[in-house]
Amino acid sequence: MSDSRLTALPAADRPDVAARLRDALLAASFTADGLLDLLGAPAYAALARSETVPALRATRGDTPLELLVRLFLLQQPVSHARVADVLPVEECLETGWLVRAGQGELAATVDVRPYGGLDGEDWFIVSDLGCAVGGAGGIGSREEGVVLGVGGASTTLAGITVRTPVGSALDVGTGSGIQALHAGRHATRVTATDVNPRALHITALTLALSGAPAADLRQGSLFEPLREGETFDLIVSNPPFVISPGARLTYRDGGMGGDDLCRTIVQQSGERLNEGGFAQFLANWQHVEGEDWQDRLRSWVPRGCDAWIVQREVQDVTQYAELWLRDAGDHRDDPAEYQARYDAWLDEFEARKVKAVGFGWITLRRTDSAEPVITVEEWPHPVEQPLGDTVRAHFERVAYLRDHDDAALLDDCFRLAREIVQEQVGLPGAEDPEHVVLRQHRGMRRATTVDTVGAGFAGVCDGTLSAGRILDAIAQLVGEDPVLLRDRTPAQIRLLVEQGFLEPGN
């Protein structure tokens, strides 16, 4: 299927018109907050489910904001005369943001969705008509080159990305440009690649309409558009990770067998990272019969990189196939065709001995250590976004623990991390708890069980006394041999540091 049925896009070489349009949108409060205030929480949430009736009911008036919501989010034609009071209509017609639609009416050529950045920025994500996630049509489009707007995966990746200032950032498979938009806030130079030229055009529109710096946009698959030896301080990608038979939809299907696309992008990113740089991805991976899924992912990690891989969700193959068949709207087709597509997915999984598919985050950090650390874990529990600082701190703790043997650990001082609470679990009235749980209220929101020594140790860590001196005091208090206590406790201290309950105090 070609792109011929997709609408013509606005001109990407008229930043002056994009700036005027942006000013008009902001003046009408066409922002994430303004949208929520206008629609109310139920209608706003319904948009995220691609249900537009509540939003249509909430925009039956004639205010500038209601007109803009109907025009750019709900794909409704609006009065030329009325919109002329709100937007620079002639410039928008000239450059293709708007087209004439019937008697005295105008229509938008693209979706424009207000998007609030991590620091409260008022940005705008451009996408194809009906493809702003939560727009008039939701996903469900099956045009090969269609470009989607912002969705849950996009915001998840934006939230987990490390946001320290860097010289260079690369967004692989940029789509509508959301990750490039975020990277422009803390990277001096942003490069974005995509195999779909339409995506690069829309990325340019997203950046211009959001008032963000232009990016270096390059067409090609994954890292192919890069120059030999070109490296970056940050690499991010929300790739087309869906494991499907064939490559029917460019925006979601990787076009390689199984999870090979995700494996390839992870493995090839290592040589593109500068020392200390991060590469962060969303990915799907196969759970193959007779194979440990964690070992599968460890084999993806390139040499010279620490890695933190978090599996957030697992679906059996039937759930997975149904999810993505519905994503493409196949459930609305002829039942026999839907069944044939469903069969094809299950045939593919059966041939590969895939029993389930995992989804999660993969973060790499380039290290000069001869002993990289690879952490693979399952964490389906709620977390607190944004997690960029949590991710950065994880790798700092990994480096710290690698560089400190047990003796050095006992000589160092530690602080209890912020917002840690202690829970004592046991029978009512019992003199001593059966066990003690330390629980985080921020970041990953982990909980870990510790013994009474571990709980007492953590409770007095304020960065002033070394771990060894604290253990000596605890040994005297409980009547235990201090040498034996010093010998058995470092493993527990390491776990508390690794999981973020304790922070090195120096």
Side-chain angles (χ1 to χ4, degrees):
M1 188 180 298
S2 71
D3 290 358
S4 60
R5 292 167 54 193
L6 295 172
T7 61
L9 295 173
D13 58 351
R14 290 294 302 275
D16 56 324
V17 176
R20 289 198 62 191
L21 177 55
R22 170 180 170 78
D23 289 343
L25 297 177
L26 293 176
S29 297
F30 188 66
T31 64
D33 289 342
L35 196 61
L36 179 59
D37 290 342
L38 171 67
L39 300 181
Y44 189 85
L47 268 184
R49 301 190 300 270
S50 302
E51 296 292 347
T52 60
V53 171
L56 286 167
R57 292 173 61 87
T59 57
R60 289 181 292 196
D62 205 29
T63 67
L65 181 54
E66 287 169 304
L67 287 170
L68 293 176
V69 172
R70 290 203 300 273
L71 181 65
F72 285 119
L73 272 182
L74 303 178
Q75 279 84 67
Q76 301 296 305
V78 296
S79 162
H80 182 297
R82 187 65 188 91
V83 174
D85 295 332
V86 182
L87 299 177
V89 165
E90 295 309 315
E91 291 93 332
C92 288
L93 285 168
E94 177 190 347
T95 54
W97 289 94
L98 301 176
V99 292
R100 302 186 191 281
Q103 191 68 29
E105 291 185 319
L106 300 175
T109 58
V110 288
D111 260 319
V112 176
R113 183 173 178 84
Y115 175 67
L118 298 174
D119 296 320
E121 301 91 346
D122 286 321
W123 288 334
F124 301 98
I125 307 301
V126 179
S127 61
D128 273 311
L129 289 174
C131 295
V133 176
I139 300 181
S141 174
R142 282 169 286 176
E143 292 286 353
E144 180 183 332
V146 72
V147 179
L148 301 187
V150 62
S154 303
T155 56
T156 293
L157 179 58
I160 68 172
T161 300
V162 177
R163 297 295 174 194
T164 51
V166 294
S168 57
L170 171 66
D171 178 14
V172 180
T174 187
S176 55
I178 300 151
Q179 308 308 325
L181 183 59
H182 279 283
R185 288 299 306 269
H186 63 105
T188 303
R189 175 173 56 88
V190 177
T191 302
T193 70
D194 204 291
V195 71
N196 183 3
R198 189 175 182 87
L200 297 176
H201 190 131
I202 285 181
T203 291
L205 296 175
T206 289
L207 297 177
L209 193 58
S210 298
D216 180 4
L217 305 177
R218 307 186 198 175
Q219 184 184 351
S221 178
L222 303 183
F223 300 102
E224 288 177 1
L226 303 184
R227 295 183 292 273
E228 183 177 355
E230 191 173 10
T231 57
F232 299 86
D233 302 310
L234 173 68
I235 299 172
V236 293
S237 183
N238 176 20
F241 52 65
V242 176
I243 300 170
S244 64
R248 191 160 55 112
L249 301 174
T250 303
Y251 72 84
R252 69 163 207 196
D253 300 327
M256 298 184 186
D259 52 16
D260 281 355
L261 181 131
C262 291
R263 175 185 56 79
T264 298
I265 193 172
V266 173
Q267 289 182 336
Q268 292 183 358
S269 64
E271 63 186 14
R272 295 295 183 175
L273 272 180
N274 291 328
E275 189 67 36
F278 287 94
Q280 299 187 257
F281 316 101
L282 300 186
N284 276 180
W285 43 79
Q286 298 172 150
H287 285 228
V288 179
E289 187 177 337
E291 178 180 292
D292 187 311
W293 68 270
Q294 294 186 337
D295 288 342
R296 181 183 190 85
L297 290 173
R298 287 189 183 95
S299 73
W300 290 9
V301 177
R303 287 185 179 183
C305 290
D306 291 330
W308 185 21
I309 302 172
V310 181
Q311 180 167 273
R312 295 286 290 158
E313 184 180 0
V314 181
Q315 292 184 316
D316 67 50
V317 292
T318 59
Q319 292 174 309
Y320 189 80
E322 290 163 15
L323 169 67
W324 294 108
L325 287 167
R326 288 181 175 273
D327 167 82
D330 291 321
H331 62 297
R332 295 191 291 264
D333 286 342
D334 175 69
E337 184 176 350
Y338 173 79
Q339 183 174 343
R341 291 192 186 281
Y342 200 153
D343 265 334
W345 283 65
L346 297 187
D347 285 345
E348 179 84 1
F349 285 133
E350 184 176 347
R352 294 179 176 276
K353 298 183 178 180
V354 176
K355 57 183 180 178
V357 177
F359 167 81
W361 319 325
I362 298 177
T363 302
L364 309 176
R365 189 179 194 186
R366 189 79 186 177
T367 176
D368 60 0
S369 172
E371 300 178 354
V373 175
I374 300 174
T375 303
V376 184
E377 63 176 319
E378 187 164 16
W379 191 255
H381 312 294
V383 298
E384 183 188 50
Q385 286 273 35
L387 280 168
D389 288 343
T390 298
V391 173
R392 176 186 50 77
H394 167 87
F395 285 91
E396 289 177 351
R397 294 193 302 269
V398 164
Y400 171 85
L401 291 172
R402 179 169 49 214
D403 294 341
H404 287 71
D405 61 16
D406 287 355
L409 205 67
L410 293 176
D411 283 341
D412 212 345
C413 302
F414 298 90
R415 296 180 185 275
L416 188 66
R418 293 175 53 235
E419 298 194 39
I420 303 294
V421 298
Q422 176 179 302
E423 301 172 0
Q424 297 190 165
V425 181
L427 294 174
E431 184 174 346
D432 296 313
E434 293 179 12
H435 59 268
V436 178
V437 175
L438 300 182
R439 189 178 301 277
Q440 301 168 349
H441 279 199
R442 305 294 296 271
M444 294 293 286
R445 294 180 173 171
R446 296 186 187 276
T448 189
T449 301
V450 293
D451 60 21
T452 53
V453 170
F457 178 86
V460 297
C461 281
D462 60 3
T464 60
L465 293 176
S466 71
R469 290 184 62 187
I470 293 174
L471 290 179
D472 290 344
I474 292 175
Q476 185 175 9
L477 186 65
V478 301
E480 187 170 341
D481 186 333
V483 175
L484 294 178
L485 192 62
R486 278 174 171 256
D487 186 56
R488 69 177 176 86
T489 306
Q492 190 169 192
I493 296 174
R494 285 187 180 278
L495 179 63
L496 292 174
V497 173
E498 178 185 343
Q499 295 190 345
F501 291 92
L502 293 179
E503 300 169 348
N506 293 337

